[in-house]
């Protein structure tokens, strides 16, 4: 998936695996990669958190281990996986809210890990985040107008005199009447709070928004309102989203490309349609089959995964999924499968497929 | 702006004086209810009734549970009636705050008192000894004999419902020690371990001596289920048993619940907001909105032929169905649930409903019955308004026909054949 590796492997092995036509397609894509079509490029991102007491042998929780992907401008990438698989850490590390252990993140061509404090501060308004829980991510002591206007004032987005008007516009965009500007967060329902969170992010005129489980705390009917709002804003202002969620049906609905994570690594990445029509990795298959279907006549062909997700402190050797995978062989324990693109816009890391 | 606020009285807030008055009258009411519940040595005839249909495990009839708060009376459950037949699963769906959980807590008589009280209605339940009690009228002491033994509950959050300072084993043994005082300690332990085995926990001996924090979410939920089943209850109330869990773990737990239900031949009241879970599990469905049942019926009636605009709206706003239905945009029900304090006299859904007409603004609709137990509270189905040619809500077309939707898709298992292989290269 990272641009440097994929074409090389492709060129070496095209005779064995790929028709010439497909290969050409990939080469075309590579040319595109080098242009500035990608707003965000993540290469081999790593984030380890230290665990255990100081003085003893230091262990690390490998929350994110070698994840790479690109997000083209104006599109939405979905990131799915079980809780604890590192989805949120990816989102936060990409914005440098956590310092990264390894790898590179390019935002609009700039390596954000190498930016100085002041340069990063200038970039901040362009990349925003909508946090997970609308109940705990709003300061209870600030009125809504202040919550939305604070960062706008801080970053001098508009002249001081126009601030109130600007906040009113941002609130209006997100479906909040301006009369609410003097109220406090506790006076709002969950859906409205999520709108405040969105207005806060949108007010800074960002290019890129990381939406960290924006709808998982909300009811179905309110969830639909928020998803529509996010899509309307994207159509109007051309935002790029990283949409983190564990709800596959929501991700399928909103995303253009989808990445599936398991225990800190990405196991499958692809175009939405390809990934849902032909999930290649056994974990993706299990995940898709576990989604409850709202139809009583539908016969579940669930692939039930045994056991729980292993601890990220001591992940299994080789392929991390092998402990729960029914197709696991001895090979899986020995080495890690490579992340290989088997058809355009569809990449998998699994030994079920040729590793060339 | 601040000055204007002072002059005009803000109707949104209560003055301290008003609040005190409400609190004073509340205390009076609550005292009465509490006194009735705390009575000792009550004659059994006072709370014995007759089941309307002996095949039912429980019959809830016109249940009202109110919360007397300082800002007014919250009518959390406002006239709910349904029944659970033996050996069946009844799903209760609705948005948060619609009274699903309060209904289940009322059945267990676990509503947080003295603020919350069962005000009216009856909950008829037949014990395994064949006696029929009205749980709504039972004094607290008597209820202890039923709660946990006859009716058991699986609580919402497995992360917080286990006591962190006791071992799993101690918590499992507790219920047996109370209800089966004749059993010896070793027998109790053997039974607990047997239960852990039944819910699919490997290495039961070790888990028996573990503390809750040492287990993962899925394991804790299994322990909760084991705990609920340990006394062979006839009715299990599962209050959002999988909401806090991941999809893969959710699939495990739901499978387990079905399996266990068949083993002990019990009934389940399944409370959830996930329509997908309901579709896979339930036999009957009850849809609640703002403390009332808006629609109830057989699972196929509800999913294939929903009548109430709220139920239809709920189905259409599911992302997995919605894009099939409306093309690109998700359908969303406009507006919000009304505040449970000071509910209006009209239909609670009318200001969010696109099918509403004059009468909806004036009074609350009664239940209209369709074939077999299927009922909906909506004026659209009144014979009186037949001449108006009202448009009735329906799901646009047979949803399962569309191959694009997630539900009709066949998910491959194992190795997928690659495009390049079918061309004759490699493989």
């Amino acid at each position: 998936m990272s641009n440097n590796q994929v074409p090389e492997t492709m060129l070496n092995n095209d005779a064995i695996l790929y028709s010439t036509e497909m290969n050409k397609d990939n080469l075309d894509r590579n040319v595109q990669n080098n242009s500035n079509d990608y707003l965000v490029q993540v290469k081999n991102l790593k984030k380890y958190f230290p665990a255990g007491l100081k003085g003893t042998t230091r262990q690390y929780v490998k929350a994110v281990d070698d994840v790479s992907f690109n997000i083209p401008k104006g599109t939405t990438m979905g990131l799915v996986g079980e809780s604890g698989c590192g989805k949120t850490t990816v989102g936060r590390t990409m914005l440098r809210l956590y310092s990264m252990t390894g790898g590179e993140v390019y935002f609009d061509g700039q390596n954000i890990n190498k930016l100085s404090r002041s340069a990063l501060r200038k970039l901040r308004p362009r990349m925003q985040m909508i946090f997970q829980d609308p109940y705990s991510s709003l300061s209870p002591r600030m009125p809504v107008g202040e919550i939305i206007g604070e960062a706008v004032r801080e970053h001098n987005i508009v002249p001081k005199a126009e601030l109130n008007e600007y906040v009113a516009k941002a609130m209006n965009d997100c479906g909040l009447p301006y009369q609410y500007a003097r109220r406090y967060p506790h006076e709002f329902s969950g859906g409205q709070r999520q709108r405040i969170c969105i207005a806060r992010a949108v007010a800074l005129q960002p290019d890129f928004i990381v939406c960290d489980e924006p709808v998982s705390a909300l009811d179905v009917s309110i969830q639909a309102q928020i998803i529509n709002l996010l899509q309307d804003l994207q159509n109007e202002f051309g935002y790029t989203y990283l949409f983190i969620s564990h709800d596959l049906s929501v991700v399928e609905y909103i995303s253009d490309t989808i990445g599936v994570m398991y225990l800190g690594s990405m196991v499958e990445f692809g175009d939405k349609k390809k990934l849902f029509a032909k999930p290649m990795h056994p974990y993706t298959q299990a995940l898709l089959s576990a989604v409850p279907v709202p139809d009583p006549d539908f016969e579940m062909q669930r692939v039930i995964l045994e056991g729980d997700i292993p601890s990220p402190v001591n992940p299994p050797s080789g392929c991390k999924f092998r402990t729960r995978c029914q197709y696991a062989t001895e090979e899986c324990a020995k080495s890690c499968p490579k992340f290989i693109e088997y058809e355009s816009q569809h990449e998998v890391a699994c030994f079920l497929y040729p590793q060339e | 702006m601040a000055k204007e606020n002072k002059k005009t009285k803000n109707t949104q807030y209560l003055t301290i004086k008003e609040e005190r008055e409400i609190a004073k009258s509340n205390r009076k009411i609550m005292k009465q209810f509490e006194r009735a519940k705390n009575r000792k040595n009550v004659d059994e005839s006072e709370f014995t009734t007759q089941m309307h249909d002996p095949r039912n495990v429980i019959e809830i009839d016109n249940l009202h549970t109110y919360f007397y708060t300082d800002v007014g009376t919250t009518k959390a459950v406002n006239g709910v009636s349904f029944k659970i037949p033996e050996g069946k699963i009844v799903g209760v769906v609705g948005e948060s705050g619609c009274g699903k959980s309060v209904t289940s807590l009322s059945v267990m008589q676990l509503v947080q008192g003295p603020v919350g009280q069962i005000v009216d209605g009856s909950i008829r339940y037949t014990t395994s000894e064949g006696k029929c009690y009205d749980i709504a009228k039972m004094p607290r002491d008597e209820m202890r004999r039923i709660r946990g033994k006859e009716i058991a509950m699986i609580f919402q959050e497995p992360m917080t419902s286990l006591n962190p300072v006791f071992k799993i084993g101690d918590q499992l043994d507790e219920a047996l020690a109370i209800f089966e005082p004749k059993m010896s300690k070793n027998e109790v332990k053997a039974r607990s371990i047997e239960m852990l085995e039944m819910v699919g926990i490997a290495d039961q001996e070790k888990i028996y001596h573990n503390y809750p924090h040492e287990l993962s979410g899925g394991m804790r939920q299994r322990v909760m289920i084991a705990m609920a089943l340990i006394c062979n209850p006839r009715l299990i109330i599962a209050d959002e048993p999988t909401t806090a869990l991941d999809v893969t773990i959710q699939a495990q737990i739901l499978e387990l619940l079905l399996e266990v239900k068949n083993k002990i031949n019990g009934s389940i009241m399944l409370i959830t907001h996930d329509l997908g879970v309901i579709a896979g599990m339930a036999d009957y469905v009850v849809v609640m909105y703002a403390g009332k049942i808006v629609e109830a019926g057989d699972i196929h009636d509800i999913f294939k032929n929903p009548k109430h605009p709220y139920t239809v709206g709920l189905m259409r706003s599911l992302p997995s169905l919605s894009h099939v239905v409306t093309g690109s945009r998700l359908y969303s029900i406009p507006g919000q649930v009304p505040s449970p304090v000071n509910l209006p006299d009209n239909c609670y859904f009318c200001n969010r409903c696109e099918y509403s007409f004059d009468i909806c603004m004036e009074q609350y609709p009664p239940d209209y019955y369709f074939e077999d137990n299927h009922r909906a509270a909506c004026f659209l189905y009144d014979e009186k308004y037949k001449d108006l040619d009202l448009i009735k809500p329906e799901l646009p077309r047979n949803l399962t026909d569309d191959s694009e939707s997630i539900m009709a898709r066949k998910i491959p298992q194992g190795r997928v054949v690659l495009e390049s292989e079918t061309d004759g290269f490699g493989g």
Side-chain angles (χ1 to χ4, degrees):
Chain A
M1 133 147 343
S2 63
N3 327 340
N4 304 342
Q5 290 166 5
V6 175
E8 272 176 28
T9 48
M10 296 275 159
L11 283 173
N12 294 339
N13 304 300
D14 54 344
I16 309 164
L17 253 180
Y18 296 92
S19 66
T20 39
E21 203 182 302
M22 263 189 78
N23 196 22
K24 199 173 150 238
D25 188 38
N26 284 319
L27 284 173
D28 284 349
R29 222 162 65 83
N30 193 33
V31 174
Q32 268 186 8
N33 290 0
N34 293 339
S35 71
N36 259 350
D37 261 7
Y38 290 129
L39 182 69
V40 184
Q41 288 172 286
V42 176
K43 287 178 188 171
N44 306 82
L45 186 70
K46 283 187 187 121
K47 173 69 195 170
Y48 299 166
F49 291 104
L53 291 171
K54 265 186 185 169
T56 57
T57 3
R58 255 293 156 83
Q59 285 182 314
Y60 289 93
V61 175
K62 295 180 177 175
V64 178
D65 202 4
D66 212 355
V67 166
S68 337
F69 55 87
N70 305 320
I71 312 177
K73 245 178 212 161
T75 62
T76 305
M77 177 180 155
L79 204 55
V80 286
E82 285 175 271
S83 50
C85 73
K87 309 184 293 276
T88 302
T89 314
V90 167
R92 293 193 165 203
T93 319
M94 276 169 73
L95 301 186
R96 226 178 122 182
L97 296 179
Y98 293 146
S99 61
M100 50 195 94
T101 312
E104 288 152 351
V105 175
Y106 292 92
F107 179 81
D108 211 2
Q110 304 174 66
N111 186 340
I112 65 157
N113 206 21
K114 292 210 173 119
L115 289 178
S116 66
R117 255 188 121 142
S118 57
L120 185 67
R121 193 177 157 78
K122 267 188 195 144
L123 205 61
R124 280 264 177 246
R126 294 185 58 198
M127 34 190 214
Q128 283 297 308
M129 186 151 184
I130 297 165
F131 291 95
Q132 201 155 11
D133 185 359
Y135 292 90
S136 56
S137 59
L138 295 170
S139 166
R141 289 171 169 247
M142 271 188 180
V144 169
E146 182 67 13
I147 289 174
I148 298 168
E150 189 188 21
V152 177
R153 199 176 55 226
E154 202 64 25
H155 285 289
N156 291 323
I157 305 278
V158 289
K160 233 180 183 175
E162 292 167 27
L163 182 68
N164 281 347
E165 245 171 74
Y166 183 78
V167 170
K169 192 185 155 287
M171 287 177 71
N172 191 33
D173 283 343
C174 296
L176 291 163
Y178 184 59
Q179 295 89 283
Y180 289 175
R182 280 170 186 274
R183 293 200 190 166
Y184 287 87
H186 73 265
E187 298 174 57
F188 294 92
S189 66
Q192 280 176 320
R193 281 182 209 214
Q194 198 55 279
R195 283 175 195 270
I196 298 168
C197 292
I198 294 172
R200 174 170 64 180
V202 163
L204 292 169
Q205 302 172 347
D207 296 319
F208 177 53
I209 304 178
V210 174
C211 313
D212 187 3
E213 309 247 11
V215 293
S216 45
L218 306 174
D219 283 310
V220 190
S221 69
I222 307 297
Q223 175 179 304
Q225 289 177 10
I226 297 296
I227 293 172
N228 279 339
L229 171 66
L230 285 172
Q231 281 204 319
D232 291 345
L233 290 169
Q234 187 173 42
N235 292 340
E236 197 172 337
F237 303 107
Y239 297 142
T240 308
Y241 291 134
L242 176 71
F243 195 92
I244 299 169
S245 179
H246 63 261
D247 188 338
L248 278 155
S249 51
V250 172
V251 169
E252 185 197 15
Y253 177 75
I254 201 167
S255 314
D256 299 303
T257 51
I258 292 173
V260 183
M261 283 186 72
Y262 185 79
L263 210 61
S265 345
M266 200 171 275
V267 293
E268 187 160 357
F269 175 86
D271 178 71
K272 169 175 76 181
K273 281 196 176 136
K274 282 179 187 156
L275 191 131
F276 270 85
K278 207 160 88 177
M280 287 165 80
H281 198 280
Y283 178 65
T284 317
Q285 290 168 0
L287 209 59
L288 284 182
S289 71
V291 176
V293 174
D295 179 359
D297 290 337
F298 182 79
E299 269 187 43
M300 288 283 196
Q301 26 151 341
R302 281 186 192 142
V303 186
I304 300 229
L305 288 180
E306 297 290 321
D308 285 312
I309 192 163
S311 152
V313 180
N314 294 312
S317 65
C319 172
K320 286 174 180 166
F321 184 58
R322 76 180 161 86
T323 48
R324 297 171 79 189
C325 179
Q326 51 176 324
Y327 307 102
T329 56
E330 283 171 26
E331 198 187 2
C332 298
K334 280 178 201 152
S335 59
C336 260
K338 285 178 202 144
F339 205 64
I340 295 176
E341 186 168 26
Y342 288 100
E343 40 183 17
S344 71
Q345 291 272 336
H346 196 169
E347 290 148 90
V348 186
C350 183
F351 280 117
L352 283 177
Y353 306 96
Q355 287 293 302
E356 298 295 326
Chain B
M1 198 164 165
K3 267 187 184 174
E4 278 171 28
N5 266 355
K6 268 181 193 170
K7 277 178 197 167
T8 53
K9 193 188 164 254
N10 198 335
T11 48
Q12 209 201 343
Y13 303 102
L14 292 170
T15 60
I16 291 179
K17 208 178 162 191
E18 282 169 322
E19 227 169 81
R20 272 188 199 139
E21 268 166 33
I22 294 173
K24 202 177 166 189
S25 67
N26 279 353
R27 272 200 295 275
K28 238 183 218 170
I29 302 167
M30 290 184 311
K31 231 180 192 171
Q32 258 177 5
F33 281 116
E34 282 299 299
R35 212 174 280 156
K37 261 203 268 180
N38 286 337
R39 282 177 306 160
K40 295 225 163 103
N41 305 324
V42 187
D43 189 38
E44 223 172 59
S45 63
E46 238 178 82
F47 50 84
T48 324
T49 51
Q50 208 68 52
M51 290 299 259
H52 287 192
D53 187 345
R55 279 171 298 172
N56 293 335
V57 172
I58 201 162
E59 287 171 357
I60 298 172
D61 209 347
N62 199 24
L63 180 72
H64 287 77
T65 305
Y66 292 176
F67 288 87
Y68 294 99
T69 62
D70 286 359
V71 290
T73 308
T74 306
K75 297 174 179 173
V77 177
N78 197 3
V80 163
S81 332
F82 66 94
K83 50 194 187 284
I84 302 175
E86 214 159 329
K88 298 282 183 202
I89 300 179
V90 174
V92 181
V93 239
E95 289 176 83
S96 49
C98 74
K100 312 184 293 281
S101 286
V102 178
T103 308
S104 68
L105 291 173
S106 304
V107 172
M108 293 288 276
Q109 225 187 73
L110 278 176
V111 184
Q112 188 68 48
V115 176
Q117 297 291 349
I118 300 174
V119 178
D120 195 8
S122 57
I123 303 165
R124 292 185 291 273
Y125 174 77
T126 321
T127 60
S128 45
E129 289 145 16
K131 283 178 184 161
C132 180
Y133 293 132
D134 185 351
I135 291 172
K137 293 197 180 66
M138 262 176 134
R140 206 167 270 158
D141 279 2
E142 301 286 331
M143 187 60 203
R144 284 213 174 133
R145 287 187 293 149
I146 291 181
R147 187 194 299 137
K149 186 170 186 239
E150 302 262 339
I151 309 175
M153 191 155 178
I154 300 164
F155 287 96
Q156 210 154 22
E157 275 181 61
M159 298 295 171
T160 51
S161 335
L162 288 167
N163 193 336
V165 298
F166 288 107
K167 287 178 181 167
I168 297 289
D170 295 344
Q171 297 188 46
L172 276 169
D173 291 348
E174 195 187 359
L176 273 181
I178 291 169
F179 290 113
E180 310 279 349
K182 281 176 199 158
M183 270 171 115
S184 74
K185 262 191 179 170
N186 281 339
E187 278 171 342
V188 169
K189 188 182 172 186
R191 170 90 178 128
S192 296
I193 286 178
E194 187 192 317
M195 289 313 294
L196 286 177
E197 194 185 349
M198 184 165 142
V199 295
I201 292 179
D203 206 359
Q204 306 95 14
E205 281 280 348
K206 191 182 142 239
I207 299 291
Y208 186 87
H209 291 291
N210 272 6
Y211 284 96
H213 73 266
E214 297 173 271
L215 309 181
S216 66
M219 289 284 258
R220 274 184 240 191
Q221 193 58 285
R222 280 165 197 271
V223 172
M224 289 293 294
I225 293 174
M227 207 183 267
L229 298 177
I230 202 156
C231 287
N232 282 328
R234 293 181 64 220
L235 176 65
I236 304 159
I237 300 173
D239 187 358
E240 311 244 6
T242 57
T243 307
L245 305 173
D246 286 308
V247 270
T248 52
I249 308 294
Q250 170 173 296
Q252 288 177 7
I253 296 290
L254 293 180
E255 204 87 338
L256 170 71
L257 261 180
L258 276 179
E259 207 177 282
V260 151
K261 188 212 107 191
N262 293 335
K263 260 187 207 164
I264 65 165
N265 194 25
S267 317
I268 299 181
M269 175 171 160
L270 179 70
I271 297 167
T272 177
H273 63 258
D274 191 334
L275 285 165
V277 171
I278 289 280
M281 299 278 292
D283 302 302
Y284 297 98
V285 185
V286 171
V287 185
M288 284 185 74
Y289 185 78
K292 278 186 185 284
I293 291 179
V294 291
E295 187 165 0
D298 187 72
I299 180 99
H300 289 93
D301 291 336
I302 298 284
F303 277 88
K304 298 288 170 188
N305 192 13
K307 298 285 188 190
H308 198 280
Y310 176 67
T311 320
V312 177
L314 216 55
M315 305 262 177
R316 288 178 63 187
S317 54
L318 289 174
S320 53
L321 303 182
S322 190
H323 63 136
V324 184
V325 179
T326 51
S328 64
R329 231 180 122 78
L330 263 185
Y331 175 82
S332 69
I333 306 173
Q336 289 163 21
V337 187
S339 150
V341 187
N342 306 324
L343 281 167
D345 293 332
N346 51 21
C347 174
Y348 303 154
F349 190 60
C350 70
N351 49 1
R352 297 176 77 184
C353 177
E354 41 187 289
Y355 305 96
S356 63
F357 57 110
D358 305 343
I359 187 78
C360 301
M361 313 287 174
E362 285 160 23
Q363 58 188 94
Y364 195 86
D367 283 342
Y368 295 98
Y369 283 83
F370 311 96
E371 69 283 354
D372 319 320
N373 293 331
H374 188 189
R375 66 175 205 255
C378 182
F379 282 118
L380 288 174
Y381 303 99
D382 197 321
E383 291 290 320
K384 262 189 277 177
Y385 308 109
K386 218 176 181 183
D387 312 332
L388 290 174
D389 278 335
L390 297 162
I391 307 162
K392 286 172 187 151
E394 55 184 31
L395 294 176
R397 64 191 150 114
N398 199 355
L399 295 160
T400 41
D401 284 353
D402 201 294
S403 57
E404 278 290 295
S405 85
I406 189 170
M407 37 202 288
R409 211 174 277 140
K410 280 234 155 65
I411 295 152
Q413 293 185 16
R415 195 175 188 285
V416 174
V417 179
L418 299 169
E419 264 173 43
S420 49
E421 289 169 345
T422 50
D423 296 344
F425 288 90

